[in-house]
Amino acid sequence: MDRDALVPVMAVAMVNGIFSPWVLMVFLFYPVWYPGWAPPLSQIVYMASSLILSTMTIMLAGVPAALYERWSAHPRSIVVSSIWLAGTVLLTLPALPNVMRALSGG
């Protein structure tokens, strides 16, 4: 797959990582995943939580695209990219109210 096709997927996943309501759950469970040698500053833990959630979004959204690529006789790159982007957007839907609140300044 073309690297340029993944740019929108990564952008949407970053929005999900920052604004998703699930970032609070990942943040609260930081004693489980956060390394003990790192300073537990809230800003660093939040940034790492956001990164974990963004990565999980890309990984989960890639599953249907990978299944299509595996099961299709002649997979097309544009279809794989579209499936991956659609999955990422679907996983980002719970973050949209927070995005709209941030854009409105409220």
Side-chain angles (χ1 to χ4, degrees), residues 53-93:
L53 196 57
S54 296
T55 305
M56 287 302 297
T57 301
I58 291 172
M59 290 170 56
L60 288 175
V63 169
L67 290 175
Y68 165 78
E69 203 167 23
R70 174 80 173 158
W71 292 337
S72 177
H74 303 288
R76 297 184 50 200
S77 179
I78 189 70
V79 176
V80 174
S81 302
S82 300
I83 292 171
W84 207 338
L85 181 60
T88 307
V89 169
L90 187 66
L91 289 172
T92 306
L93 288 178

